[in-house]
């Protein structure tokens, strides 16, 4: 039988175009990076049944099952239904697999579920974000990390969300042991100093990582009731100008971040190059075209930040410019 | 005399007591633990019964009232000194049996150790106790082997929650009157206490001096991070240090503060000229352990440690003080073939 495959539909359905003729790979999406063991067993079963028995673990916390015959795609879509249900990913039609692949899996570091330094439940926030933005064909990358260690490497994404806590200090519980100062110096930015037996925090320098809280032996330092976030914008990899995301908002709240991401999708729909190859264009290149002010106007529409939030009104990105010169001599 | 009282009845007793006393009890501080969205149970003042955390063992001990973590003792100017104001209202501390035994140790150190500490004495005189019964042992408790599992006197009343009712052994006639007024049913009550713990310790009777150089301490030099959390949660650690503070905008005026100290933390044994008596964490562990289960006993006749297990609960390196006592006992046996207590 003649093989007649629409590769555009194949990719949109979260199958990979493989260099091996006649084969594909199924791309499983795991928002927030956490999945039940029974779904993992199902993944293994599908890889054994339809694939070549191997599983590729992706950089974005998905898995790809290579070596699947193109003809088996409908059967694979049926087989992975329980995984889609389990991971809570939005779907348009049951047993038809993933409805889009443009907006990438939403990544999360282990966060406060496991990590002593995680400032919030990264998986929960990532899942909430995925619920809002997926399915979508636009090429957008979002990642969540629990603290400024950035184990989630969120500065490589369009939207990077870094957890923060505002250290609360009770001088009446402080004995001046200076462990917060020592560990802030060793493990963080050195924002603390001892003045007259009590600790003073440089609020400009403090990145809200919570190291002082973790090492305080008396609970003189505690975490703020509110979970705060640093939102960093428009990092990317790629062949033109890979770069790290830059700080946009410090001490942001969850709702504002949700609103900003939603607004950003509207901005991209408005300004994306209509001739962009395969409809994919990193947001950063669009911002280069419209200017930051226009981008700012769109993404901050109806966003109600809390009083503590600090916003950068102009951002400059650096990075490697392959597109200018690659001469290392 | 004892009473069985409804929850609402007991709430009214507590409310009335709160008008007469400041009530100092274990409180669940939501989200104030070390890690994100983790609670801590520590002592604070309450006015209502439902503010008291009666189920969980408190992470920090009651001692913060008697020996505050940070306390301004007095203020000074060029030629004058003024003692810091002091809240002299009476207090009821809600605590468990092990902690009642810890009070005896604090008193020994601060009142019976040659002279009385006036700052401790003035608050201690204001303090009475309410005993929280222990219906079961908690993880890390070793009160039975330390002989602190039961308290039969020294409290105004006891609390044991039994479903919707509270059972109290009431020793104070004034408090009994409050129970009577709240329609409490008279009944013989024995405060609940545990008779066995999962954690067992054997304290050596005598410790020979050779233990000083024993290799058992080296393990702690490698494992311990000298954070001192064990000391700050301990109900019997009494060490403090002084801070003389000169206000920055007028160097002739200032205050003297007394703050909690820890024999595990850097700086504790620093002396003039840069000396430091116990440099390694193993040496510090040795000092602490022998102080708790040997040296204190030599002076006062009983061990300092009450077996509450808070130090084991808080240690970030999973170092078990209880297990160290057993290792010490093994080492002593090995050195002397000596009998255990």
């Amino acid at each position: 039988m003649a093989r007649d495959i629409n590769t555009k539909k194949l990719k949109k359905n979260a199958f990979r175009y493989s260099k091996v003729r006649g084969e594909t790979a199924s791309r499983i999406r795991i928002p927030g990076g956490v999945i039940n063991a029974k779904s993992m067993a199902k993944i293994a079963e599908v890889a054994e049944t339809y694939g070549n028995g191997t599983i590729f673990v992706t950089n974005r916390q998905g898995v790809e099952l290579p070596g699947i015959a193109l003809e088996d795609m409908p059967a694979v879509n049926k087989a992975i239904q329980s995984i889609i249900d389990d991971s809570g990913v939005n779907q348009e039609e049951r047993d038809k697999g993933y409805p889009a692949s443009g907006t990438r899996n939403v990544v999360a570091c282990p966060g406060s579920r496991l990590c002593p330094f995680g400032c919030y439940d990264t998986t929960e926030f990532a899942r909430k974000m995925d619920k809002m933005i997926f399915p979508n064909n636009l090429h957008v990358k979002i990642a969540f990390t629990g603290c400024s260690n950035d184990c989630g490497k969120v500065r490589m994404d369009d939207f990077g969300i870094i957890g923060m806590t505002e250290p609360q200090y009770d001088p009446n519980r402080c004995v001046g042991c200076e462990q917060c100062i020592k560990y802030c110096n060793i493990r963080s930015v050195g924002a603390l100093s001892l003045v007259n037996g009590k600790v003073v925090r440089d609020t400009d320098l403090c990145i809200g990582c919570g190291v002082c809280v973790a090492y305080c032996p008396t609970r003189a330092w505690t975490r703020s009731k509110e979970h705060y976030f640093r939102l960093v914008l428009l990092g990317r990899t790629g062949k033109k100008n890979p770069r790290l995301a830059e700080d946009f908002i410090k001490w942001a709240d969850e709702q504002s971040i949700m609103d900003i991401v939603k607004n950003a999708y509207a901005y991209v729909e408005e300004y994306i190059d209509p001739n962009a190859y395969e409809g994919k264009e990193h947001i950063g290149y669009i911002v280069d075209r419209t200017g930051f002010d226009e981008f700012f106007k769109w993404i901050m529409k109806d966003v109600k930040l809390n009083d503590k939030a600090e916003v950068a009104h102009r951002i400059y990105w650096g990075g490697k410019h392959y597109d200018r010169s690659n001469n290392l001599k | 005399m004892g009473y069985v009282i409804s929850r609402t009845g007991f709430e009214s007793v507590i409310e009335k007591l709160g008008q007469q006393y400041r009530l100092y009890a274990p409180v669940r501080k939501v989200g104030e633990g070390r890690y994100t969205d983790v609670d801590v149970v520590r002592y604070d003042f309450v006015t209502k019964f439902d503010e008291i955390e009666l189920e969980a063992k408190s992470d920090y001990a009651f001692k913060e009232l008697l020996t505050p973590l940070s306390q301004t003792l007095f203020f000074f100017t060029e030629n004058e000194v003024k003692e810091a104001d002091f809240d002299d209202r009476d207090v009821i501390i809600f605590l468990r049996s092990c902690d009642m035994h810890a009070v005896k140790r604090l008193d020994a150190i601060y009142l019976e150790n040659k002279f009385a500490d006036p700052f401790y004495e003035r608050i201690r005189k204001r303090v009475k106790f309410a005993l929280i019964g222990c219906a079961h042992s908690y993880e890390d408790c070793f009160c039975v082997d330390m002989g602190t599992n039961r308290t039969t006197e020294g409290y105004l009343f006891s609390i044991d929650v039994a479903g919707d009712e509270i059972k109290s052994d009431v020793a104070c006639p004034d408090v009994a009157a409050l129970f009577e007024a709240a329609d409490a049913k008279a009944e013989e009550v024995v405060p609940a206490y545990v008779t066995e713990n999962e954690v067992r310790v054997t304290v050596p009777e005598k410790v020979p001096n050779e233990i000083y150089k024993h290799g058992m301490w080296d393990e702690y030099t490698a494992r311990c991070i000298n954070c001192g959390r064990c000391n700050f949660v301990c109900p019997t650690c009494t060490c403090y240090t002084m801070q003389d503070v000169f206000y920055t905008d007028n160097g002739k005026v200032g205050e003297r503060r007394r703050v909690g100290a820890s024999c595990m933390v850097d700086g504790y044994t620093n002396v003039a000229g840069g000396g430091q008596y116990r440099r390694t964490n193993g040496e510090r562990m040795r000092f602490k352990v022998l102080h708790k289960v040997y040296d204190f006993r030599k002076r006062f006749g009983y061990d300092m440690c009450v077996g509450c297990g808070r130090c084991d609960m808080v240690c970030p390196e999973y170092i078990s003080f209880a297990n160290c006592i057993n290792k010490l006992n093994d080492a002593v046996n090995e050195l002397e073939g000596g009998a255990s207590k």
Side-chain angles (χ1 to χ4, degrees), chain A residues 117 165-169 177 179-185 187-188 191-192 199 201 206 208-223, chain B residues 34 229:
Chain A
F117 294 105
T165 186
E166 187 191 34
Q168 308 291 304
Y169 184 60
C177 73
Q179 289 184 76
C180 52
I181 298 172
K182 172 181 155 187
Y183 285 103
C184 187
N185 284 335
R187 303 195 72 146
S188 193
L192 304 178
V199 180
R201 181 172 66 101
C206 175
C209 64
V211 160
C212 49
V213 182
Y215 283 99
C216 175
T218 64
R219 315 316 310 128
W221 287 110
T222 52
R223 294 169 179 278
Chain B
R34 193 168 304 281
R229 293 174 208 180

Side-chain angles (χ1 to χ4, degrees), chain A residues 29-68:
Chain A
R29 185 183 183 86
I30 308 173
V34 175
I35 194 167
N36 287 317
K38 69 174 164 48
S39 288
M40 213 61 189
K42 187 73 186 174
I43 287 169
E45 183 194 316
V46 174
E48 294 274 3
T49 310
Y50 298 99
N52 60 16
T54 68
I55 297 169
F56 175 69
V57 179
T58 77
N59 267 329
R60 296 199 66 84
Q61 296 181 327
V63 293
E64 296 196 8
L65 313 179
I68 292 171

Side-chain angles (χ1 to χ4, degrees), chain B residues 135-152:
Chain B
H136 58 83
S137 179
Y138 292 84
E139 198 183 344
D140 303 318
C141 293
F142 52 103
C143 53
V144 176
D145 286 336
M146 296 313 296
T148 63
N149 54 318
R150 193 164 187 202
T151 292
T152 53

Side-chain angles (χ1 to χ4, degrees), chain B residues 23-206:
Chain B
L23 308 176
Y24 195 62
V27 174
R28 177 172 294 277
K29 301 280 183 181
V30 175
E32 292 186 23
R34 193 168 304 281
Y35 305 130
T36 296
D37 300 332
V38 172
D39 302 342
V40 69
V41 178
R42 63 172 178 82
Y43 274 75
D44 206 349
F45 291 103
V46 301
T47 53
K48 291 192 181 68
F49 178 54
D50 62 9
E51 292 173 67
I52 304 174
E53 171 63 54
L54 286 173
E55 186 40 49
K57 179 160 90 181
S58 73
D59 297 292
Y60 287 77
F62 68 95
K63 72 171 179 186
E64 293 166 12
L65 180 79
L66 290 165
T67 58
L69 286 161
S70 177
Q71 178 182 26
T72 298
L73 301 182
F74 54 79
F75 302 92
F76 51 82
T77 62
E78 286 108 328
N79 296 310
E80 287 174 41
V81 172
K82 180 200 172 290
E83 239 181 77
D85 290 342
F86 162 66
D87 192 334
D88 64 356
R89 288 173 293 169
D90 290 343
V91 182
I92 297 175
I93 299 180
F94 292 70
L95 37 54
R96 294 174 187 277
S97 177
C98 55
D99 284 350
M100 275 298 284
H101 286 265
V103 174
K104 182 179 169 187
R105 282 121 178 105
L106 297 180
D107 286 350
I109 289 287
Y110 278 101
L111 301 177
E112 298 151 19
N113 198 10
K114 293 177 189 159
F115 60 90
D117 180 292
F119 296 102
Y120 180 86
E121 192 173 32
R122 69 178 185 185
I123 177 71
R124 180 65 182 87
K125 282 196 300 198
R126 297 291 176 189
V127 170
K128 294 182 172 60
F129 301 98
L131 180 71
I132 302 170
C134 289
H136 58 83
S137 179
Y138 292 84
E139 198 183 344
D140 303 318
C141 293
F142 52 103
C143 53
V144 176
D145 286 336
M146 296 313 296
T148 63
N149 54 318
R150 193 164 187 202
T151 292
T152 53
E153 57 181 15
Y155 52 85
L156 297 180
F157 61 99
S158 69
I159 304 173
D160 278 295
V161 179
D164 292 334
E165 292 178 324
I166 282 87
K167 293 184 173 187
S168 278
D169 176 34
V170 182
C172 168
D174 292 345
V175 178
L178 296 177
F179 275 77
E180 299 274 357
D183 288 335
K185 196 166 69 207
E187 186 185 303
E188 186 66 26
V189 171
V190 176
Y193 64 98
V194 299
T195 52
E196 55 183 1
N197 309 120
E198 204 176 305
V199 178
R200 300 294 310 270
V201 299
T202 306
V203 180
E205 181 74 50
K206 283 210 171 67

Side-chain angles (χ1 to χ4, degrees), chain B residues 181 273 289:
Chain B
V289 172

Side-chain angles (χ1 to χ4, degrees), chain A residues 112 116 118-120 171-176 179 182 196-198 213-219 222-223 225 227, chain B residues 30 32-37 40 42 60 64 69-70 225-227 229 232 243 245-248 257 259-260 265:
Chain A
S112 66
C119 291
Y120 67 104
N172 294 316
R173 295 191 66 80
C174 179
V175 298
Q179 289 184 76
K182 172 181 155 187
N196 271 347
K198 299 294 178 189
V213 182
Y215 283 99
C216 175
T218 64
R219 315 316 310 128
T222 52
R223 294 169 179 278
K225 293 258 180 292
H227 294 167
Chain B
V30 175
E32 292 186 23
R34 193 168 304 281
Y35 305 130
T36 296
D37 300 332
V40 69
R42 63 172 178 82
Y60 287 77
E64 293 166 12
L69 286 161
S70 177
I225 61 166
N226 62 62
C227 66
R229 293 174 208 180
F232 292 115
Q243 293 179 340
V245 170
F246 299 84
Y247 300 145
T248 47
R257 266 185 228 137
V259 296
V265 167

